[in-house]
Amino acid sequence: MKFFVDTAEIAAIAELNDLGMVDGVTTNPSLILKSGRDIIEVTREIAELVDGPVSAEVVALQADAMIAEGRKLAAIAPNIAVKLPLTWDGLKACKVLSGEGFMVNVTLCFSANQALLAAKAGATFISPFIGRLDDINLDGMDLIEDIRTIYDNYGFETQILAASIRSVNHVLDCARIGADVMTAPPEVIKKLASHPLTDKGLETFLKDWEKTGQKIL
Ligand code: G3P
């Protein structure tokens, strides 16, 4: 499963990228706001830093305007994926921009039927939002499973990019189901390394080591 980082914070991306943990980056208008940066400048910096796809989201609502914004965002760097909302106009823009050879990430997906439409419109990635479904007492992971089944049934090549990931269990479940990509905030990715038994075991080893009176260096 590929790891995308869901942030527009350069330092956080760089730290994970140095460890080889970054296969791509996703941003959205809320993350651009949080970064306090200009969308074009920060997207360019991120796209230079990482080799994989960097999603940059349009804000227009009509297909023609989405296409114009998408072309401008795609011109920032060759590894930009234009992020479009899953609306009828977004699907029209997806068809045009993917036909022009741009990577397209269709976002704000909350149903398997929406995911089916995105695949038929030529999306490179579909972004189902797990956490936001969980927020309203639905099961985000059921959606990932349904999309996996449907895409596999018909051989759609659109990659399932599990988004709105809030916990390490979301990551594990996505990997079990076979999501192609998951995008998570840097904190969640770093938490994957933590386990209380690792901490406890390390504490014991270090106490015992001290008793040996030895040094390695
Ligand atoms: O990738 C989409 C993500 O940013 C949404 O996450 O936690 O705001 O639902 P969240």
Side-chain angles (χ1 to χ4, degrees):
M1 185 167 68
K2 286 178 240 169
F3 276 23
F4 286 5
V5 194
D6 199 28
T7 186
E9 305 294 334
I10 299 286
I13 297 167
E15 185 191 0
L16 291 167
N17 196 43
D18 287 348
L19 272 175
M21 299 290 174
V22 179
D23 300 306
V25 173
T26 48
T27 66
N28 61 38
S30 305
L31 294 171
I32 296 295
L33 172 70
K34 203 169 158 198
S35 75
R37 300 281 312 275
D38 172 82
I39 182 170
I40 304 292
E41 283 172 16
V42 76
T43 304
R44 184 174 294 119
E45 254 181 74
I46 297 169
E48 277 169 12
L49 187 64
V50 307
D51 291 332
V54 175
S55 290
E57 188 159 343
V58 306
V59 289
L61 296 176
Q62 306 302 320
D64 285 351
M66 285 178 176
I67 292 164
E69 287 185 357
R71 287 181 183 140
K72 180 168 179 181
L73 293 171
I76 294 172
N79 55 335
I80 297 296
V82 178
K83 210 170 175 190
L84 301 164
L86 211 156
T87 59
W88 201 248
D89 278 76
L91 292 169
K92 285 184 192 169
C94 175
K95 181 74 183 158
V96 171
L97 291 169
S98 61
E100 291 177 4
F102 298 119
M103 286 187 285
V104 174
N105 176 359
V106 177
T107 189
L108 289 167
C109 171
F110 294 97
S111 81
N113 279 334
Q114 288 181 316
L116 183 54
L117 290 176
K120 291 180 82 68
T124 318
F125 301 104
I126 182 69
S127 291
F129 276 30
I130 296 169
R132 292 191 195 186
L133 282 168
D134 291 354
D135 287 345
I136 58 164
N137 293 326
L138 294 172
D139 190 340
M141 224 45 76
D142 283 350
L143 175 58
I144 303 295
E145 259 177 12
D146 282 349
I147 300 173
R148 181 74 283 155
T149 302
I150 290 167
Y151 281 8
D152 289 349
N153 280 349
Y154 299 101
F156 285 118
E157 286 179 8
T158 301
Q159 295 181 50
I160 302 174
L161 196 175
S164 187
I165 295 236
R166 310 263 179 81
S167 70
V168 293
N169 284 338
H170 280 160
V171 178
L172 180 62
D173 288 341
C174 283
R176 281 191 176 125
I177 292 167
D180 301 285
V181 190
M182 72 90 198
T183 189
E187 317 78 80
V188 172
I189 294 178
K190 288 175 89 171
K191 258 192 214 155
L192 295 172
S194 302
H195 197 288
L197 291 180
T198 305
D199 297 341
K200 192 165 174 256
L202 190 57
E203 201 185 317
T204 309
F205 286 158
L206 290 182
K207 269 190 196 146
D208 289 345
W209 180 249
E210 215 175 297
K211 288 181 204 155
T212 70
Q214 299 179 42
K215 284 195 182 334
I216 294 175
L217 286 176

